[in-house]
Amino acid sequence: MVAGAMKTLTEYLWFETQKKRELVRLTDTVAQLVKKAGIKEGFALVSAMHITAGVFVNDNEPGLFDDIWEWLEKLAPENPDYRHHQTGEDNGDAHLKSLLIHHQVMIPVTKSLLDLGPWQQIFYAEFDGQRRKRVIVKVMGD
Amino acid sequence: MVAGAMKTLTEYLWFETQKKRELVRLTDTVAQLVKKAGIKEGFALVSAMHITAGVFVNDNEPGLFDDIWEWLEKLAPENPDYRHHQTGEDNGDAHLKSLLIHHQVMIPVTKSLLDLGPWQQIFYAEFDGQRRKRVIVKVMGD
Amino acid sequence: MVAGAMKTLTEYLWFETQKKRELVRLTDTVAQLVKKAGIKEGFALVSAMHITAGVFVNDNEPGLFDDIWEWLEKLAPENPDYRHHQTGEDNGDAHLKSLLIHHQVMIPVTKSLLDLGPWQQIFYAEFDGQRRKRVIVKVMGD
């Protein structure tokens, strides 16, 4: 057990992906922000600030990326008939993909490092890109 | 980086929806609780206390709500044959919908405000309503 | 509103399930760790450290467990054709199941107890077991 004074750090990561759908690895950036926050023990929230993007933790393996995209398309397919499209949007599937993959993760921080398993990597999942979008990283600890 | 003394606030929101399935927007209520907690920087956990409900962040758009309900019903359909129904329950689908949409979100708090993107709204998703159920809001920060 | 000094506790739970797929109830263990941490108010993160496992909160009902397994297999089936298998792995479905069920939950702690609803139980979901794997429990509060 460790006791101390609370510190927080808040930073916003901006993305403008070249493709409509893209995965961006965030692990190193989040680790640097934890270092900048100067905490030893705590949590780092990594959370998409848009409703057509996700953040998840999984393996950094390109074959798996293809499997994930194919799976997301199967479970939350592009479809011209979404009612959301009556607003003029065409990204109904991106909303559902965001709900499926979830939009945030909480990373434990131990001894100033991201306390991830050996294969765990943090990813930003863009489901409706080619425009500027943000992720918040909020670190809290002591 | 900001350092200070930790504060917490815990409140329970009660729901008794008129329909079996319903979405309830929580954003303003959570914002008021953050104000009441008196923190500047921290986190607000919004978490269903039942296993047949969810909490998610997405767009406040009625057409999308219909898309979400249709999608949830497709991926986790009502079905009389769930084994869970041998206990006398009839809400097996509500458990699966809760797992799919997830039962909680963590909202970052920055400068005393919910640090959400422009379209992000917090929703309670009732999958088996018409009875009293709760959501916990727990705020922690400084 | 309660103000105090922050404490943290970090522990790792090891699992080596006998079966490839298994659910392990963690509620009592997490409650003990919260007691050990000595906090009254705060959060306990329970997070799988592997990319082929999940952590979720739902009902402790064996019929439902069967429903959950069947549902996961339907939405993220075993399939020899995953591209991830070109690396020599055969657990592509376990990655997708992990994404679907999510790999972590945040449990609120109030008056030194897990602040869960009456039916909420914490589970570790093993999707590719029969080997040593870990869950981190990180408690933070005051």
Side-chain angles (χ1 to χ4, degrees), chain C residues 21-45:
Chain C
R21 294 182 191 159
E22 209 165 312
L23 295 182
V24 184
R25 204 174 64 86
L26 301 184
T27 320
D28 300 341
T29 304
V30 176
Q32 286 163 10
L33 292 178
V34 164
K35 198 172 178 183
K36 183 175 174 185
I39 69 163
K40 284 185 180 166
E41 302 291 322
F43 294 121
L45 176 71

Side-chain angles (χ1 to χ4, degrees), chain C residues 60-111:
Chain C
N60 188 20
E61 200 279 291
L64 182 68
F65 298 162
D66 290 341
D67 293 330
I68 290 172
W69 286 118
E70 196 171 301
W71 177 70
L72 286 168
E73 190 56 32
K74 196 175 100 188
L75 294 192
E78 278 196 277
N79 181 347
D81 295 335
Y82 288 121
R83 289 183 195 82
H84 183 50
H85 297 175
Q86 295 173 13
T87 63
E89 295 283 354
D90 64 355
N91 59 3
D93 70 300
H95 290 268
L96 302 181
K97 287 176 170 88
S98 167
L99 290 172
L100 180 57
I101 212 83
H102 214 55
H103 77 290
Q104 60 181 196
V105 296
M106 188 65 102
I107 310 295
V109 177
T110 304
K111 297 180 185 168

Side-chain angles (χ1 to χ4, degrees), chain B residues 9 13 25-39 44 46 107-109 112-116 121-122 137 139:
Chain B
L9 177 86
L13 310 178
R25 202 175 65 87
L26 301 183
T27 321
D28 300 342
T29 304
V30 176
Q32 286 163 10
L33 292 178
V34 164
K35 199 172 178 183
K36 183 175 174 185
I39 68 161
V46 185
I107 308 295
V109 176
S112 306
L113 299 173
L114 302 184
D115 204 344
L116 292 167
Q121 298 279 341
I122 310 164
V137 180
V139 183

